[in-house]
Amino acid sequence: MKTLCRKPIQSSKQKKERASEIRKRRAALSKCEREIEAAEAEIDTLNEQLSDPETASDYEKMMEITNKITEQKALADSLMNDWTELTLWLEENDV
């Protein structure tokens, strides 16, 4: 006797809840992507400011910009971790 692998039957409510969860995670993924792009653009802008000779001669300004770059890099790293988790969840759930 053969046994076929079948997905468990989901109720209408379960299907709606799953669809809702998928939409939420896709929206969060899109938001992460936009925020990562914004953080990377800010890092580029700050790096350009560092290369300005006027900024290079101002120690306090250099430190301020360097600290902002560090903050933006930490934000980008955190967002990338979130993006990875969301992507894996969507892949694991056959989306």
Side-chain angles (χ1 to χ4, degrees):
M1 181 175 179
K2 289 186 178 181
T3 306
L4 299 174
C5 291
R6 294 185 182 166
K7 290 185 177 181
I9 298 174
Q10 294 181 336
S11 71
S12 177
K13 181 179 177 184
Q14 288 172 322
K15 287 179 184 178
K16 287 180 184 180
E17 288 172 353
R18 184 170 188 274
S20 175
E21 183 65 23
I22 290 168
R23 278 192 304 278
K24 287 178 188 175
R25 295 209 185 208
R26 282 185 177 158
L29 184 66
S30 293
K31 182 180 177 188
C32 270
E33 290 169 347
R34 288 190 305 275
E35 290 178 354
I36 289 167
E37 288 176 14
E40 289 174 346
E42 180 66 13
I43 291 167
D44 290 342
T45 300
L46 292 166
N47 279 322
E48 287 175 18
Q49 291 175 15
L50 279 181
S51 64
D52 180 0
E54 193 172 304
T55 303
S57 63
D58 184 345
Y59 176 78
E60 287 182 19
K61 187 71 172 171
M62 290 275 296
M63 289 306 299
E64 179 185 330
I65 293 171
T66 302
N67 289 337
K68 287 181 182 178
I69 290 171
T70 301
E71 290 171 9
Q72 289 298 312
K73 285 183 177 181
L75 174 61
D77 287 345
S78 175
L79 290 166
M80 284 300 296
N81 288 335
D82 293 346
W83 181 89
T84 300
E85 288 179 23
L86 289 164
T87 301
L88 289 173
W89 186 92
L90 289 166
E91 287 175 358
E92 289 171 359
N93 287 278
D94 297 322
V95 178

